[in-house]
Amino acid sequence: MFLEPQETMPQTSVVFSSILGPSCSGQGQPGMGERGGGAGGSGDLIFQDGRLISGSLEALMEHLVPTVDYYPDRTYIFTFLLSSRVFIPPHDLLARVGQLCVEQRQQLEAGSEKAKLKSFSAKIVQLLKEWTEAFPFDFQDEKAMAELKAITHRVTQCDEENGTVKKAISQMTQSLLLSLAARSQLQELREKLRSPAMDKGPVLKAKPPAAQKDILGVCCDPLVLAQQLTHIELERVSSIHPEDLMQIVSHMDSRDKHRCRGDMTKTYSLEAYDNWFNCLSMLVATEVCRVVKKKHRTRMLEFFIDVARECFNIGNFNSMMAIISGMNLSPVARLKKTWSKVKTAKFDVLEHHMDPSSNFCNYRTALQGATQRSQTANSSREKIVIPVFNLFVKDIYFLHKIHTNHLPNGHINFKKFWEISRQIHEFMTWTQVECPFEKDKKIQSYLLTAPIYSEEALFIASFESEGPENHMEKDSWKTLRTTLLNRA
């Protein structure tokens, strides 16, 4: 179902095609005071061992809004804002938050308690600040921005004396607009970017001249190439945001009728990163199959094995898996004479790490080790963790499928969303690591723009290197030749 070493061409994972058409510790205890159901679970919020596990949507929304003597736990704010979009569009949630604020404000005004009113206003601004910082894209929606302005306008009315609340709102709004502008520029850049050119190969002669540049002519050091791949991975994965990953859940839910503005942009960022995996796999296969001499093909295979091993050592599991997938594609895997000259011991170790049996148990053990290293790291180099993205998506996908959104009593199964939020939060922590390796524009330009062969061209190049060995291959080769001759 997901991209893994196989003998077929890499494609955008089935998950994407079927879906589209402080640490999150899970502790739900309030940071200040109490609200809603108590520790035992009275009211519409249910707690278990001090942890919020379920509640009605209305109760969960009320639990988000501060009071004079209560402010929600930061992990709850992140988890609820992230998961609530499965049930209600962000602008509608913001409107409900605004209503709750008005109700509390009216109560405080009736009691003529100015000090409490100011305290309450400051907490509302703090909540909005956390929301706009964690999920700025929610406010690209005009309705959400209008609700935000309405709430902040009401809040500033109690701050006419010293203007501290008004100043905080101004800073929050400025930061939000800068974040939205940056994302808008990124979207425009994405539109200009194109996938590497697909080279179909000339008629019957798929191989380029021997003098044509290949990856070894650009970079012959496996460690350097692995570092540049890590640079690209971190740059690309940084464009993915928590709400983008939540689309994996909301797009799957047939009961979810709302569509937030910008959904297609969000799913695009996921598909674009997934597409990078496919392109890297195809580039590896192209670099191997386009080589004329067997000796040089052997060297190319051994080079990519070393690159994959360096990726593993760095913690770049996504590039490692893409390289292994490229070498396991049929046009490459069938080159038996070439493979017979390759020292495959290192490749066997890599395949062991990515063995799909027992739900990729070996990979998950290695990922856990890299995660632990990252948590105790003293340098950016040791903090790098880039998981196999399609396996991460798979985990979120099945976590959502296995556990229901609602319990029999109608409550939202918040225990499920704590876990989804925890995994997404951990992923986002990995994406924020600054790449410690110096960027090499020449190498990156080649990796991102070098033409890659189509599936058809890969098979032609493969058969020209080592002729068909059985009836099935002979039939395939004959069909390809006929197709190309007719096309000519």
Side-chain angles (χ1 to χ4, degrees):
M1 186 179 211
F2 293 85
L3 293 170
E4 57 193 59
Q6 55 188 344
E7 293 190 356
T8 56
M9 289 302 180
Q11 302 173 358
T12 299
S13 63
V14 175
V15 168
F16 285 113
S17 60
S18 64
I19 293 172
L20 303 180
S23 165
C24 284
S25 61
Q27 294 302 312
Q29 284 288 73
M32 295 170 56
E34 284 290 344
R35 175 125 192 192
S42 60
D44 285 333
L45 293 179
I46 305 299
F47 290 84
Q48 185 178 71
D49 298 325
R51 175 171 171 162
L52 177 60
I53 60 171
S54 73
S56 66
L57 178 59
E58 178 62 24
L60 291 170
M61 287 191 290
E62 291 179 0
H63 196 58
L64 176 70
V65 179
T67 64
V68 171
D69 55 0
Y70 162 79
Y71 191 82
D73 186 273
R74 290 193 69 188
T75 59
Y76 176 76
I77 294 174
F78 178 84
T79 300
F80 181 69
L81 291 178
L82 179 65
S83 58
S84 63
R85 65 199 66 236
V86 175
F87 308 99
I88 182 173
H91 63 81
D92 285 346
L93 173 61
L94 192 59
R96 181 58 185 139
V97 168
Q99 292 173 358
L100 291 169
C101 290
V102 169
E103 292 171 7
Q104 290 199 52
R105 179 183 171 81
Q106 290 174 343
Q107 292 177 5
L108 292 171
E109 287 176 339
S112 300
E113 299 180 272
K114 289 187 176 182
K116 289 186 177 181
L117 187 59
K118 289 182 179 180
S119 174
F120 169 69
S121 297
K123 289 179 180 178
I124 292 299
V125 174
Q126 178 61 27
L127 174 66
L128 294 174
K129 180 175 181 290
E130 292 193 41
W131 191 340
T132 56
E133 288 177 349
F135 305 99
F137 205 78
D138 288 352
F139 298 88
Q140 181 169 299
D141 188 300
E142 293 179 1
K143 293 180 180 178
M145 189 60 81
E147 292 292 346
L148 178 65
K149 290 179 179 178
I151 295 173
T152 55
H153 175 70
R154 287 192 291 267
V155 166
T156 54
Q157 291 178 352
C158 69
D159 189 48
E160 296 177 354
E161 293 181 10
N162 54 27
T164 54
V165 171
K166 187 177 294 185
K167 183 178 179 181
I169 290 173
S170 177
Q171 292 174 343
M172 175 193 73
T173 304
Q174 185 176 9
S175 296
L176 173 60
L177 293 176
L178 287 173
S179 295
L180 290 175
R183 290 203 187 188
S184 178
Q185 291 175 359
L186 180 60
Q187 289 174 31
E188 291 176 4
L189 180 61
R190 286 173 182 166
E191 293 298 322
K192 295 178 182 179
L193 292 176
R194 293 290 182 267
S195 298
M198 187 68 73
D199 188 349
K200 297 182 178 181
V203 176
L204 293 183
K205 205 64 180 175
K207 291 185 176 300
Q212 184 169 328
K213 184 187 295 184
D214 59 20
I215 187 65
L216 288 172
V218 178
C219 178
C220 60
D221 187 332
L223 175 58
V224 172
L225 189 63
Q227 291 174 344
Q228 294 309 306
L229 286 170
T230 302
H231 233 299
I232 294 172
E233 291 278 356
L234 289 173
E235 284 182 359
R236 299 213 161 195
V237 79
S238 66
S239 67
I240 296 175
H241 302 278
E243 61 269 33
D244 303 342
L245 294 167
M246 206 61 193
Q247 298 303 310
I248 298 168
V249 173
S250 61
H251 277 287
M252 279 193 308
D253 195 341
S254 60
R255 291 170 296 178
D256 176 36
K257 301 301 182 183
H258 77 266
R259 289 291 296 252
C260 302
R261 179 179 176 181
D263 278 358
M264 294 310 297
T265 302
K266 295 174 186 177
T267 56
Y268 173 81
S269 68
L270 301 182
E271 288 184 306
Y273 186 53
D274 185 57
N275 186 55
W276 154 246
F277 180 104
N278 297 337
C279 289
L280 179 55
S281 294
M282 293 293 280
L283 177 62
V284 169
T286 299
E287 292 292 322
V288 174
C289 290
R290 71 202 286 262
V291 178
V292 176
K293 296 182 179 180
K294 181 171 64 177
K295 180 180 179 180
H296 293 164
R297 280 198 305 278
T298 301
R299 183 188 175 200
M300 186 69 74
L301 280 170
E302 291 180 337
F303 174 72
F304 276 119
I305 291 171
D306 287 339
V307 173
R309 186 178 64 168
E310 294 294 350
C311 286
F312 177 85
N313 292 336
I314 289 172
N316 182 359
F317 299 106
N318 201 55
S319 288
M320 174 191 172
M321 179 68 111
I323 292 170
I324 293 174
S325 296
M327 290 189 286
N328 277 335
L329 294 176
S330 293
V332 180
R334 65 167 298 278
L335 298 173
K336 295 179 181 179
K337 294 178 182 178
T338 304
W339 279 102
S340 68
K341 302 296 182 180
V342 175
K343 298 175 183 178
T344 57
K346 290 183 285 188
F347 186 65
D348 293 339
V349 172
L350 294 174
E351 287 209 303
H352 171 74
H353 286 306
M354 294 300 173
D355 183 355
S357 62
S358 300
N359 193 23
F360 288 87
C361 178
N362 296 338
Y363 157 70
R364 294 182 188 282
T365 300
L367 179 64
Q368 184 179 17
T371 301
Q372 292 173 347
R373 179 188 68 185
S374 177
Q375 291 170 346
T376 59
N378 296 317
S379 66
S380 296
R381 166 67 181 78
E382 296 175 326
K383 290 181 180 179
I384 296 172
V385 181
I386 306 173
V388 179
F389 186 60
N390 282 317
L391 292 182
F392 173 78
V393 169
K394 170 187 170 183
D395 290 342
I396 299 297
Y397 178 89
F398 283 107
L399 183 60
H400 174 63
K401 294 293 287 183
I402 291 170
H403 303 285
T404 60
N405 285 349
H406 292 87
L407 300 176
N409 64 356
H411 277 195
I412 290 174
N413 182 9
F414 208 68
K415 188 175 182 180
K416 162 186 173 176
F417 291 102
W418 277 127
E419 180 57 24
I420 291 177
S421 172
R422 184 193 67 78
Q423 293 193 24
I424 290 178
H425 187 275
E426 184 175 50
F427 180 86
M428 297 311 301
T429 300
W430 295 333
T431 68
Q432 293 164 12
V433 173
E434 184 178 351
C435 188
F437 310 124
E438 185 177 350
K439 185 174 183 178
D440 189 311
K441 293 183 179 180
K442 183 179 179 182
I443 297 175
Q444 289 201 19
S445 176
Y446 186 89
L447 289 169
L448 295 171
T449 63
I452 56 177
Y453 281 4
S454 65
E455 180 177 355
E456 188 179 75
L458 283 175
F459 271 109
I460 293 171
S462 179
F463 283 134
E464 287 182 348
S465 296
E466 297 183 19
E469 294 188 349
N470 53 53
H471 292 298
M472 185 177 295
E473 287 191 346
K474 289 178 181 178
D475 289 342
S476 296
W477 181 221
K478 182 179 179 180
T479 301
L480 277 172
R481 290 174 64 89
T482 301
T483 301
L484 290 174
L485 285 170
N486 290 337
R487 191 180 296 165

